[in-house]
Amino acid sequence: MHAPRTFSDKFWLVIKGLCMGAANKVPGVSGGIVAFVGGFYEEFIYSLQKINIKSFKLLVNGRFKSFYQYINGQFLTLLIFGMLVSYFSISKLLDYFLAYKELYVWSAFFGMIIGSIYYISKDFDHWNKKTIPAGLFGLILGIAISFLNPATQNDNLIFIFFCGMISVSGMTLPGLSGSFILILLGNYVLLLVDSVNALYDTFSEILQDDFSFTQNHKRLNTLKILAVFTTGSAVGLVTLSHLLTYLLKHFKHITTAIIIGFITGSLGVVWPWKKTILKTAADGTLQVDSNGNQIIVNYERYFPELTSAETWWAFLFVLIGVFILLGLDWYGKNRK
């Protein structure tokens, strides 16, 4: 049983859900980092792990209250509510800033990740002949993922289900960005832009008593893709949480060392100074997706001009990112 939560606890859980949702939408940043730094990572993983055969039996037998208590329902409900609100609100704000102030957004994220590396590492004093190689393995894996070239879009339903399982890893594995993996798999726009927009448009039409979308084959296909993706995500969330619970129970220090290495290696993904390489046709014209958006192929990283005022503003945002994390650390300590 969990101790009753105060109103302040519930409020902060929704806020943490908002932050997790926003982080999951951004390529290169993972919701798991928010959970790790917010101090609720282990509770999140253990709560997800309670979604198992026993909880399913409680649900089937109509023992809803027991089911809700068993899966730590209040915690999961408040967190997921925050994530959903974030998906249709904060992430829209994020899209706006990424469009107009991209350098500053990435700089703040870069600072947050530096802060999170410090946060996780500062109390980790278990470096030894087992954890050092594990940390190096995580580091190399993180660097390798940052420099992979993205694939092309693929709407095969088995592949979409697999994308769902993989993309949700950002919520359970700090440092591994599900959105970035979807870019590498070539399906970021299809699954996190087109599908979400199709769902949004469909709800808007239903509210206006307009059911014409039932005749729109393209829309129905996109909604089918979203349903398969969501199912894959749910399966991935539960199976990954079981695997992680096992690893945290039996190999806690090695797992933490890999996570520290991995987050450090993934700094390359959110390096703020990068040029976007867009997809072009053979004749040099820019290609667009079904929404008319340009298709990102990869990023070309470079070192900033130290004489530029914009660079110094970006450095300020890196510091703001670091201080946001230190503020969370301070909040966690004071709450204890």
Side-chain angles (χ1 to χ4, degrees), residues 204-217:
S204 304
E205 287 166 17
I206 289 171
L207 289 172
Q208 292 163 21
D209 249 3
D210 172 6
F211 292 90
S212 60
F213 69 87
T214 53
Q215 307 303 316
N216 183 336
H217 290 297

Side-chain angles (χ1 to χ4, degrees), residues 275-296:
K275 286 191 188 84
T276 307
I277 302 166
L278 298 167
K279 191 173 186 179
T280 52
D283 61 358
T285 54
L286 287 172
Q287 294 192 314
V288 293
D289 60 40
S290 56
N291 275 349
N293 297 319
Q294 294 167 340
I295 302 164
I296 296 171

Side-chain angles (χ1 to χ4, degrees), residues 232-293:
S233 300
V235 170
L237 203 54
V238 175
T239 48
L240 260 175
S241 62
H242 279 268
L243 176 67
L244 276 168
T245 305
Y246 176 81
L247 291 175
L248 283 169
K249 238 179 208 164
H250 299 277
F251 309 101
K252 187 171 184 178
H253 299 324
I254 291 176
T255 307
T256 308
I258 292 174
I259 288 172
I260 291 170
F262 192 86
I263 296 175
T264 310
S266 69
L267 274 171
V269 179
V270 282
W271 178 252
W273 295 275
K274 53 181 178 254
K275 286 191 188 84
T276 307
I277 302 166
L278 298 167
K279 191 173 186 179
T280 52
D283 61 358
T285 54
L286 287 172
Q287 294 192 314
V288 293
D289 60 40
S290 56
N291 275 349
N293 297 319

Side-chain angles (χ1 to χ4, degrees), residues 93-284:
L93 197 66
L94 212 54
D95 291 344
Y96 171 81
F97 283 115
L98 278 169
Y100 295 101
K101 297 286 178 196
E102 192 177 16
L103 175 65
Y104 301 153
V105 175
W106 286 115
S107 299
F109 285 138
F110 190 73
M112 282 183 192
I113 292 183
I114 290 173
S116 68
I117 293 166
Y118 163 75
Y119 178 89
I120 300 167
S121 311
K122 70 178 173 24
D123 298 325
F124 186 74
D125 44 13
H126 302 281
W127 292 110
N128 55 41
K129 62 176 189 284
K130 280 184 181 171
T131 52
I132 290 171
L136 285 171
F137 170 73
L139 180 71
I140 292 162
L141 194 63
I143 292 169
I145 286 178
S146 338
F147 290 98
L148 283 174
N149 272 334
T152 51
Q153 190 166 297
N154 179 350
D155 62 359
N156 175 294
L157 291 180
I158 295 169
F159 184 69
I160 297 288
F161 184 83
F162 169 73
C163 284
M165 286 189 73
I166 294 291
S167 74
V168 88
S169 57
M171 277 165 69
T172 47
L173 284 168
L176 189 61
S177 162
S179 312
F180 184 69
I181 286 179
L182 285 181
I183 284 183
L184 292 179
L185 294 172
N187 273 357
Y188 178 77
V189 172
L190 174 68
L191 298 173
L192 290 190
V193 181
D194 295 355
S195 300
V196 174
N197 288 345
L199 185 67
Y200 191 79
D201 294 343
T202 304
F203 276 137
S204 304
E205 287 166 17
I206 289 171
L207 289 172
Q208 292 163 21
D209 249 3
D210 172 6
F211 292 90
S212 60
F213 69 87
T214 53
Q215 307 303 316
N216 183 336
H217 290 297
K218 189 180 172 193
R219 173 83 62 82
L220 291 174
N221 189 47
T222 309
L223 290 173
K224 182 171 72 179
I225 284 170
L226 182 63
V228 172
F229 175 67
T230 308
T231 310
S233 300
V235 170
L237 203 54
V238 175
T239 48
L240 260 175
S241 62
H242 279 268
L243 176 67
L244 276 168
T245 305
Y246 176 81
L247 291 175
L248 283 169
K249 238 179 208 164
H250 299 277
F251 309 101
K252 187 171 184 178
H253 299 324
I254 291 176
T255 307
T256 308
I258 292 174
I259 288 172
I260 291 170
F262 192 86
I263 296 175
T264 310
S266 69
L267 274 171
V269 179
V270 282
W271 178 252
W273 295 275
K274 53 181 178 254
K275 286 191 188 84
T276 307
I277 302 166
L278 298 167
K279 191 173 186 179
T280 52
D283 61 358

